[in-house]
Each structure stands twice: as structure tokens, then as C-alpha cells.
Amino acid sequence: MESVELSRYLTMLTLSVHVIFATVGVGVPIMITIAHWLGLKRQDEHYLLLAKRWARGYVISVAVGVVTGTAIALQLALLWPRFMEFAGQLVALPLFMETFAFFFEAIFLGIYLYTWNRFKNPKHHFYLLAPVVLGSAMSALFITSVNAFMNVPQGFTLIGGQLTNIQPLVAMFNPAMPTKVAHVLTSAYMTTAFILASIAAYHLLKGNRHEYHRKALALTMKIALIFSIATALVGDLSGKYLAEYQPEKLAAAEWHFETEGEAPLVLYGVLTEKNEVKYAFKIPYALSILVHSNPFGVVTGLNDIPKEYHPPYEIHYFFDIMVTIGIWLTFLSLVYFIALWRNWSFIKTKIFRILLVTSGPLAMIAIEAGWWFTEVGRQPWIMRGFMQTAEGATDSPHVGIMFVAFAVLYLILLIGTAVVLTRMFKKNPVELELEKDSIEQRSVAK
Amino acid sequence: MTLEVIGISVLWLFLFGYVIVASIDFGAGFFNASTIVTRKHHIVNSVIQRYLSPVWEITNVFLVFFFVGMIGFFPKTAYYFGTVLLVPISISIILLALRGSYYAFGTYGTKGHVGYTLMYGVTGVLIPASLSTALIVSQGGFIRETPTGGIELDFLSLFTSPFAWSIVALSLVSVLFISASFLAYYSSVAEDIEALNLFRRYTWIWSFPTIVTAMGIIIEMKWHNPTHYEGMLSLWWLFALSLVCFIASLWLLKKRHYGRSFIFVVLQFAIAFYAYGVSRYPYLLYPNLTIYDGFTNETMAYALITAFVFGFMLLIPSLYLVFKLFIMNKPYIQKRNS
Ligand code: HDD
Ligand code: HEM
Ligand code: HEM
């Protein structure tokens, strides 16, 4: 295999691992903030304990997020030296600021963790969360703007291979950025809410009847519903963005060959050798509506795009997976919400709880699918219109062995994280911790 | 001062910051593990744990700042260093990843597993060794052109070069020296006499190898890179000043002024580090790349410097807070000893 391909696989591997922790890293601070705030407002120790326990698990995930993030940041230069040499002149600013944002977040997270009960006014301790939430969101914003830039490079003029007229802010605030950042943030909040809901549902499924888990489930599912809807809405805007700036990606995702109006949304199915769509599920007019908010809007097809710029057609499946999971999870959280409100009891059945347990992993799969869709859909470009992926890659013959080494590393990290997190919470169950806290409180009251 | 010089000075500052904080951290990990073997672990454990817990992420960020800034200010380094350093830096990443995550697992998760501690110690010495290859390669002589017009690392000459091994040796002994000196000070603040005595002894033990290897490297430079050697000679007074600081630090150690002794250790390294940096001006990579031909465009340079200034105004107060709350907070440091 060529080192280009291997570099792509290694990048893919590292980012796919990093995004798990990055998503949780962006999402959990908001969940902690909400729980902590409810705890203070309602004087409810269950919510306070939620905040405490989530924060404790979060540290582990941040640690692995930091090391995988460091890996990808270095690998960008190691695997794509030509690309970084070129892009470094244009997007170094957001890359640099990401580090600051993260630093800011990490410092306040550390302080927050180690200062429970050290402030006279508990509100001051709560305020420490603001920089954590802000820092993680800014981290995501900066890094996503770099990725958006790769999709729609702008803010410079290229004359005879020379870069001139460089405007870092224009490069950063490119047309892909608003929808991308918004979609990444909402989907991270949504996914984290479902993951935490899965955990609560798991305890209930195992027969634990404690109030704590019920409150956790109700809270996280409500947040999940809000962000699922937001994610779908922003996803719709992302589709409109694609139609305007990267029509080839949208057309490949939809197996849309002829430029035409009244275009249907194609879900699932297979593509024959002759590029015929078979066994697919078609929603009439839906693609035109997605793109133009108008059932008759004309959507550019692949036949009007030079063949060498077609992205791989497999991205269709990644798009399907993401959208299907998105719709399903919105539905699931909506049903849960209505049932909670109307006091329907089927949400307490085993089956429904099993569905809830699967929601977190499903949301994470949607994140992976979404990224694979945009990243593979950018091929053959690394910087759309300016540099092809093959031009950016290293020619080192050692990428293959490095791939193996990193694969082993990530396996160890993933297993380690799973083992440590389960052990950490099993050893210190909620009941025990609540008891300890109340004993402490009583001794303080005396 | 030109923009290029401002850029490289900022980066050099980050790198120096990393060298100091990381040395303390790597060395602490090493002492923590080696004392298990020598059965003195109970003495050092509490001091090391207290120090390590809140700061490990901060250490890593210094490194990230350095190389992200490097690519920002000098994008061409991405091409040269990125291409040739794939293997050594990947090894560093893997070791850093194991170290960071297993530290977190061991500290926040399941407490006190010997395996974690040993891993932490071993990676603490391997990481400086593998990271120092970047510095070694930048001295020139280890990169060759491929038939296709690309560049690659000449592993054979790297592994057989006494010069390269001396730099590796220096990185190792200085890690242990800096770390021991800091931990001696830290235990004195914690009023942990036993740990203090041990770390004071370690500081003495590692001080002489540090100065001997450092001088050895200066001499070897004469054969390896005569241009750089000339540059160093013209700055001899700075290196002499660094030596004076070294002697002062040992003298203060003897007089039991641990804080001041550590400050002189930092000064010693700071002066030598900057003297080394200035003496290689303007080369980023001998002889291919100077700070002038590798520099980014002016607009980006101003943007980065602005971001840096604002970022710093945000960071200094927060770092100060960490410092007050954890590192130099007497009740906090002493808590577990009582
Ligand atoms: C929980 C995760 C999740 C869910 C449920 C959805 N998405 Fe998504 N989607 C992502 C997570 C995601 C992502 C991982 O965050 C991506 C990858 C890159 C990006 O910008 O966001 C993404 C990208 C992405 C793109 C490509 C943007 C680009 O290339 O610039 C489009 C068009 C959509 N999504 C559209 C949708 C629609 C119409 C959804 C309907 C429900 C949807 N997404 C649900
Ligand atoms: C859009 C996808 C990404 C998101 C949302 C994201 C977000 C995050 C978050 C939240 C963290 C902190 C760790 C945590 O809290 O768990 C983190 C760490 C990190 N990420 Fe990412 N990241 C993404 C992709 C990348 C990429 C492509 C790079 C490489 C340039 C990168 C570089 C880093 C680095 C270097 C760290 C460690 C921070 C440090 O030590 O300074 N991330 N990322
Ligand atoms: C964190 C979530 C992300 C995931 C899961 C992800 C996934 C992928 C995948 C699957 C590829 C391989 C595409 C192919 O070769 O067919 C890829 C390539 C790449 N990605 Fe991402 N990506 C993410 C975010 C980012 C971000 C934020 C950046 C920019 C800073 C980035 C930069 C790159 C680069 C430089 C390549 C290699 C060039 C290429 O194949 O076009 N990625 N990524």
C-alpha cells in the first residue's frame, strides 16, 4: 500500500478515537453545570452528587482526550507535512487559539474538581464551571473551523504557487464554519446527554430503584430531546450549505446523478455497476426540500461534475446511518418526554429501558458516521480546490508500522478507560456515597 | 527586533517552560518508581503524589503550545521535521499517551497499582530520550536526500553518533537533576524531613553528571557542527554564567536554602538554553532551514502574536490561581503528611 493511503487510515483511526473523547469532552461540562445548578437551586443533594460523579468520570475521559488530541495534532505534521506547510500559513491562528482554549478549560476543571466544599459560598465553586464550558466549546469551535477551512478554503490569493493577500480571520470564518460548528456542538451535547441517560437507564434496568437514577434519567432525556431537535435543524442547514458550496458531496451522499427538480431523498439501497439505485427507500421531493425548502428546487447531480472529483459513493451509507439514528433518537426522547408528562407506564418496561440503554452508543455511532461522511466526502481533496490528498502526504515508508503501533495503543487506551471507569463507579456506588455525605453533613451540623 | 526573532523567542520560551515542568514531572515519576525497587517508596510517595495530581495536564499543554506555535510561525518546519521525524516522534507520542492516561487511571481510578507506577517511571526516562531526537536532528548531518528528491532520516548515522548519544544522556541526567532539586524544595515546604534528605542526596548525585555531559557536548560540537561551535564560543561568557549559577545552586543546597537553590538551577538552565538558542541563530535546521526562509507571512505573524498576548493575559492569572491553590499552598501540601 502507498504511504498516502496508510496516512489516511492512520489519520482516520486517530481522529475516530479522539472524537469519542472530544465529544464527551465538549458535552459533559454542560451536563455538570445543569446538574450542579439544579442541585443548588433546589437544595437537592442528588443533583449535586450527579455533578460530582459526572465530573469524576469526566477527568478520565479528558485525560484520554488530551493524549489522543496531542497525537492527532502531531500526526497532522508527521503524516501531512506538505499540507501543514501550506495550510499552516492560513489556519495557524485557530489551531493556536484552540490550545489556549483548552488550557483555560483544563486549569479551571482542575480547580473545580479539587475544591468541592472549600469555598464558603458554594455559588463561587459553581461559577468555576463557566470557564470550563466556555473553554471546551471554544476548543470545538476553533478546531472545527480548521476543518471547515479544508472544505471551503478562502482568505488568500494564490498566484503562481505563491500565497498572497492572506487574511486569517476570513480563512477562519469561512462559509462552512457556521453550520459545521453549530452541528458539532449540538450533536456533542445531544450525544453526551444520551450517553449519561444510557448509564442511568442501565442502573434502572438492573433493578436499582434509587431516586438518584430516576432523576438522572429524566434530566438527561429532557436535555437530549432539546439537543436532538437542534441537531436535526442544524443538520438541515448543513445540507443547504453543502448544496451551495460542495454539491458533489451532497450528490454522492444521495446517489443523485441527474441534475433535476422534484428530487427524492434516497435512503439505504445498493448501487449497481451502472450507477442504478436499487432497493432504496425514496422520500419524494425530500431532497429538493432539504436543499431549497421547495419541492421543485433543482439539485445538481453527479453527472454535471467531472468524474475525477466525485467522492466515493459509499458515503451514502454514512449519511444514512447518521440521519436514521438522528431521527430515531429524536423520536425516542420525544416519546419518553410525553410519557413522563402523561404518566404512561410503558417507559418503565424492560424493553423500553433496553432501548434507552442503546441510545448513547447509537448517538456515538452517529457522530462517527457523520465525520466519516464529511471527511471521506471531501476526497479527493485535502483542501478542496487547492490541494489533493496525495499531494499533502508524507512519503515515509514507515507509516504502516506506525499504524499498527497506534492501533495497539488505542486499543489499550479504550480498554483501560472502560475498565477504570466501571471499577471507579462500582467500587463507590451512589447509595454509599449519599450515606457518607449525609454523615458528614450531620457531623458538620453538630 | 524582527518578527522572526520575536516568533522564535516566544517558542523558545514555551520550550524552556516545557523542559522545566516536564523534567520535574518525568523525574518525579522516575523517583516514584525507582524507590519502589529500593524500598524507599514510603518516604517519597506522599510528596510526589501531592505535587503531581493537579499539574500533569498543564505540562502537556506546554508541549502542544510549542509545536503548534512552531508550525504557525515556521510552517516549513512541518515539512522538514514532519517528514523525517515520523518514527521518533510517533514513539514519543505513544509513550506520552501511555504515561498520561495511565497516570490518570492510577490516580483518579484504581489507586496504587504497582504496574501503573512502574510504567510511569519507565516512560519518564524514555520520553526525554525520544523527544531529544528532534533537537539532535536539528543540528544537521542526519538527514539525507532520497533518489526521488525527498528527504529522510539517516537512522544508521543517528544511532552510531556519539554526539547524538551525549545529547540523550544530557537530557536524562538533567531531568533527574532538575526534578530532585525541585522535590527537595517541595519537601522542605511540606516539612517532610525524610523526603527532603533523600531528595537532597539525589540532587547531589545527579548534579555532576549533568555538568559533565553538558561540557562534553560543547566539546563534541566542535567536530559535529563547527559553525555552531564558533557561535557557542562567541557566547562563552553566557555559558560561564550558567556554570556560576550551577555552583551557586549547590552552595545554597549545602546551606539548606532549598527554594533559592532551585531558582539557581532554573537560572542555570535558562541561561544555557538561551545561549544555546542564540548561538545557533539563524538556523532552525542545519544547514537547510533558517528562521528567515521558514517564516510565515506577516499577517499571520501579527495575528499569532496578538492571539498570544491576549491568551497570556488570560492564562497568567489562572496559572497563578493554580499555583496559589495547589502547588505552593502550605496547608494543601502538608495535608496528607499529618
Ligand atoms: C449525534 C450525531 C448526529 C446526528 C444525530 C446528526 N448528525 Fe449530521 N453530522 C454529525 C453528527 C450528527 C457530525 C459528526 O457532527 C458532523 C460531521 C462533521 C460535521 O460538521 O458534523 C455531521 C455532518 C453532517 C453534514 C455534513 C456537513 C458538512 O460536510 O459540512 C450534514 C449535511 C448533516 N450532518 C446533516 C444531518 C441531518 C440532516 C441530520 C438529521 C437528523 C443529522 N445530520 C443528524
Ligand atoms: C471536531 C473535532 C474535534 C473536537 C470537537 C475536539 C475537541 C477536543 C476537546 C474537547 C479536547 C479536550 C479533551 C477533553 O476535554 O476530552 C481536545 C483535546 C485536544 N484536541 Fe481535539 N477535537 C477535535 C479534533 C481535533 C483535531 C483534528 C486536532 C488536531 C489538530 C485536535 C487537537 C487536540 C489537542 C492537541 C488536544 C489536547 C489539548 C492539549 O493538550 O492542549 N483535536 N479536543
Ligand atoms: C474528530 C472528528 C473527525 C473524524 C472522525 C475524522 C475522520 C477522518 C477520516 C475518516 C478521514 C479519512 C478520509 C479518507 O481518506 O477517505 C480523515 C482525513 C483527514 N482529516 Fe478528519 N476527521 C475528523 C475531524 C477533523 C478535523 C477537525 C480536521 C482538521 C483539523 C481533520 C483533518 C483531516 C486531515 C488533514 C485528513 C487527511 C486528508 C484527507 O484524507 O483528506 N479531521 N478524517
Side-chain angles (χ1 to χ4, degrees), chain B residues 114-152:
Chain B
V114 179
Y116 293 156
T117 316
L118 288 181
M119 162 109 80
Y120 207 64
V122 173
T123 52
V125 290
L126 292 179
I127 293 170
S130 63
L131 281 180
S132 57
T133 40
L135 201 66
I136 297 167
V137 166
S138 79
Q139 286 296 338
F142 301 110
I143 294 181
R144 65 166 174 234
E145 299 221 346
T146 59
T148 53
I151 48 176
E152 66 181 10

Side-chain angles (χ1 to χ4, degrees), chain A residues 199-369:
Chain A
I199 297 171
Y202 174 78
H203 285 287
L204 293 174
L205 183 67
K206 286 275 152 194
N208 191 323
R209 293 270 162 272
H210 204 287
E211 263 297 291
Y212 173 90
H213 298 298
R214 281 172 212 270
K215 283 182 185 166
L217 184 64
L219 174 66
T220 48
M221 285 303 284
K222 280 180 211 161
I223 301 173
L225 174 63
I226 295 170
F227 285 111
S228 305
I229 296 172
T231 304
L233 290 178
V234 183
D236 177 55
L237 293 177
S238 307
K240 294 185 171 38
Y241 147 79
L242 277 188
E244 188 166 346
Y245 292 94
Q246 294 180 280
E248 73 284 358
K249 198 193 275 184
L250 188 67
E254 281 304 313
W255 290 343
H256 183 67
F257 288 91
E258 294 298 333
T259 301
E260 61 186 10
E262 304 180 29
L265 193 74
V266 179
L267 288 175
Y268 322 113
V270 291
L271 200 63
T272 63
E273 300 264 297
K274 286 194 223 108
N275 287 344
E276 284 159 19
V277 180
K278 276 206 177 142
Y279 315 116
F281 179 72
K282 290 189 183 172
I283 311 176
Y285 305 110
L287 185 58
S288 288
I289 295 176
L290 178 72
V291 171
H292 297 289
S293 309
N294 165 4
F296 305 104
V298 176
V299 182
T300 314
L302 285 167
N303 292 346
D304 284 345
I305 296 162
K307 191 127 187 115
E308 68 267 30
Y309 298 146
H310 285 194
Y313 299 150
E314 292 79 40
I315 61 172
H316 175 74
Y317 297 111
F318 298 136
F319 188 63
D320 281 355
I321 292 173
M322 173 180 70
V323 173
T324 310
I325 292 176
I327 294 172
W328 162 245
L329 290 180
T330 313
F331 174 75
L332 186 74
S333 48
L334 189 65
V335 166
Y336 178 86
F337 182 72
I338 296 175
L340 203 63
W341 172 44
R342 308 242 98 194
N343 261 325
W344 292 339
S345 61
F346 74 86
I347 52 170
K348 294 190 179 137
T349 57
K350 205 165 173 188
I351 302 256
F352 196 81
R353 283 191 175 144
I354 290 177
L355 290 179
L356 291 178
V357 171
T358 57
S359 68
L362 276 179
M364 196 51 92
I365 292 173
I367 295 265
E368 298 281 356

